[in-house]
């Protein structure tokens, strides 16, 4: 087995402005960056520990340190999948391992997964705020083809959504409720979403209470986010959602993400590829997964005041495939 050195560090990325969702607000993104080296090449990966899934920087860092003590886990991607559960720690390690293998072999990850990399168009996220502030944010971003709106915080949601539609009359809209709606207000919120020509609604109900969607016919496609992590969730969710949001921090890396996408497509589910707020290093492998996705939400670097170097190249909402110097 290769003699690999594993280095871990935390990074804090300042946001351009406070980012609010139904569960809280953040002013910076705290991530963990992993570097794997064989003495000649360096592979990198980045993850964002997420409290909603019981993760913290300390707990994820502890999982990674456990791998340092058992280096056989890094023999290949399969070994890593068996050694760690899905989540942020495995994501950073899986992406670092794939990056290292690409650099050592000269074979790009796109080739490994049978992809023809082309630019993808990302959504641009408007965080939860007052209707007036969201109108101004939408107006400033009205030239972007796809906007994602954070909702899920009570009776002002209707005014927020209508304000965004007024501010960006030509953009396609994704509504992300972040589990903030209830069964009682689902019909009303969906009617408003129809009136505002919303293209997709993410996770309207709490993940532990979305079984009611099996008896519900939505006029707008519903997308599982917090409810879906890996392929094991598909049997349960296919009766509730027509779209799944694939995030590498949930799947535990690109390896499982690609397997999840393949199996979901075999079940005629539509694919969205999303992200936590993080740098270009975290987005780069997700851009690979986003090839051919119907919806892409990889705007993390656009929300940051600073970014990893080298960074992804954005032309408005269009993301170029990552340069080899960045990842993969």
């Amino acid at each position: 087995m290769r003699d690999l050195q594993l280095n871990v560090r935390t990074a804090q990325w300042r946001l351009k402005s406070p980012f609010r969702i139904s569960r809280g607000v953040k002013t910076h993104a705290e991530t963990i960056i992993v570097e794997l080296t064989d003495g000649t090449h360096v592979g990198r990966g980045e993850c964002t520990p997420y409290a909603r899934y019981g993760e913290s920087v300390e707990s994820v860092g502890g999982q990674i340190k456990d791998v340092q003590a058992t280096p056989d886990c890094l023999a290949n991607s399969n070994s890593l999948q068996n050694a760690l559960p899905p989540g942020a720690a495995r994501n950073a390690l899986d992406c670092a391992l794939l990056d290292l293998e690409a650099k050592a072999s000269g074979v790009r990850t796109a080739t490994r997964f049978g992809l023809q990399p082309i630019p993808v168009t990302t959504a641009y996220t408007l965080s939860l705020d007052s209707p007036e502030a969201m109108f101004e944010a939408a107006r400033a971003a009205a030239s972007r083809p796809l906007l994602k709106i954070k909702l899920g915080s009570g009776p002002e949601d209707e005014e927020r959504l209508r304000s965004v539609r007024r501010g960006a009359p030509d953009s396609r809209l994704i509504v992300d409720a972040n589990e903030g709606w209830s069964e009682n207000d689902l019909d009303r919120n969906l009617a408003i979403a129809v009136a505002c020509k919303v293209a997709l609604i993410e996770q309207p109900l709490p993940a532990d209470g979305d079984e009611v969607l099996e008896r519900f016919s939505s006029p707008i496609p519903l997308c599982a986010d917090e409810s879906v992590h890996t392929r094991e969730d598909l049997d349960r969710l296919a009766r509730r959602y027509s779209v799944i949001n694939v995030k590498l921090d949930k799947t535990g890396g690109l390896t499982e993400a690609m397997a999840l996408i393949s199996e979901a497509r075999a079940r005629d589910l539509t694919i969205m590829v999303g992200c936590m707020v993080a740098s270009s290093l975290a987005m780069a492998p997700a851009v690979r997964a986003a090839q051919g996705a119907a919806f892409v939400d990889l705007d993390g670097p656009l929300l940051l005041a600073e970014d990893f170097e080298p960074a992804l190249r954005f032309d408005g909402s269009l993301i170029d495939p990552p340069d080899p110097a960045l990842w993969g």
Side-chain angles (χ1 to χ4, degrees), residues 7-322:
N7 300 309
V8 187
R9 62 184 175 90
T10 59
Q12 286 200 352
W13 309 99
R14 291 186 299 110
L15 303 186
K16 291 178 181 176
S17 58
F19 187 77
R20 296 178 179 86
I21 66 172
S22 61
R23 284 189 289 271
V25 59
K26 62 167 63 179
T27 57
H28 66 276
E30 192 165 17
T31 69
I32 294 177
I33 293 176
V34 166
E35 294 185 344
L36 279 174
T37 179
D38 59 7
T40 303
H41 308 93
V42 179
R44 297 181 179 89
E46 181 181 32
C47 69
T48 303
Y50 198 38
R52 167 64 180 81
Y53 305 134
E55 296 176 333
S56 66
V57 170
E58 293 74 23
S59 69
V60 170
Q63 286 180 293
I64 295 171
K65 288 180 180 178
D66 289 342
V67 170
Q68 284 179 309
T70 54
D72 287 353
C73 300
L74 299 174
N76 52 55
S77 292
N78 287 335
S79 299
L80 181 61
Q81 306 304 302
N82 294 328
L84 284 178
R90 196 176 78 185
N91 176 31
L93 289 164
D94 182 61
C95 291
L97 188 59
L98 290 171
D99 186 33
L100 178 62
E101 291 173 351
K103 289 172 177 172
S105 68
V107 178
R108 302 294 304 276
T109 54
T111 302
R112 172 177 178 154
F113 288 106
L115 302 171
Q116 295 293 329
I118 60 173
V120 297
T121 299
T122 181
Y124 182 77
T125 305
L126 306 182
S127 72
L128 185 68
D129 211 323
S130 68
E132 296 78 15
M134 292 187 76
F135 168 79
E136 294 298 337
R139 187 166 66 171
S143 63
R144 295 184 181 274
L146 182 62
L147 298 179
K148 176 171 168 174
I149 312 157
K150 293 290 187 178
L151 294 180
S153 185
E156 281 192 307
D157 270 3
E158 176 177 356
E159 191 176 352
R160 290 183 177 107
L161 180 52
R162 294 190 186 279
S163 295
V164 168
R165 178 44 86 199
R166 288 196 303 272
D170 298 323
S171 300
R172 296 177 74 207
L173 299 182
I174 299 172
V175 163
D176 186 1
N178 280 119
E179 305 179 276
W181 293 352
S182 70
E183 182 181 1
N184 292 334
D185 57 27
L186 191 57
D187 282 316
R188 174 173 172 74
N189 286 332
L190 283 168
I192 297 164
V194 168
C196 292
K197 299 180 180 178
V198 170
L200 183 71
I201 296 176
E202 276 189 74
Q203 200 68 45
L205 303 179
D208 61 0
D210 64 356
E211 68 279 354
V212 301
L213 297 177
E214 295 182 18
R215 307 183 298 275
F216 190 84
S217 178
S218 174
I220 296 173
L222 301 181
C223 176
D225 182 2
E226 285 85 354
S227 289
V228 61
H229 291 247
T230 67
R231 287 170 286 173
E232 295 180 358
D233 298 314
L234 292 179
D235 281 340
R236 173 173 50 87
L237 297 178
R239 299 184 299 274
R240 305 175 189 181
Y241 302 92
S242 60
V243 186
I244 64 165
N245 189 346
V246 178
K247 294 179 180 176
L248 274 60
D249 276 315
K250 295 188 301 179
T251 64
L254 183 59
T255 300
E256 172 62 24
M258 296 304 295
L260 171 59
I261 289 169
S262 178
E263 187 162 329
R265 283 179 171 149
R267 296 167 180 253
D268 293 325
L269 290 169
T270 300
I271 304 302
M272 177 179 185
V273 173
C275 68
M276 308 300 184
V277 181
S279 82
S280 284
L281 179 59
M283 299 305 115
V287 171
R288 292 281 190 253
Q291 299 297 309
F295 298 93
V296 178
D297 176 27
L298 298 178
D299 64 343
L302 297 177
L303 306 178
L304 302 181
E306 52 196 352
D307 196 2
F308 190 88
E309 289 294 339
L312 284 169
R313 291 186 297 271
F314 286 81
D315 180 7
S317 294
L318 200 66
I319 314 174
D320 285 339

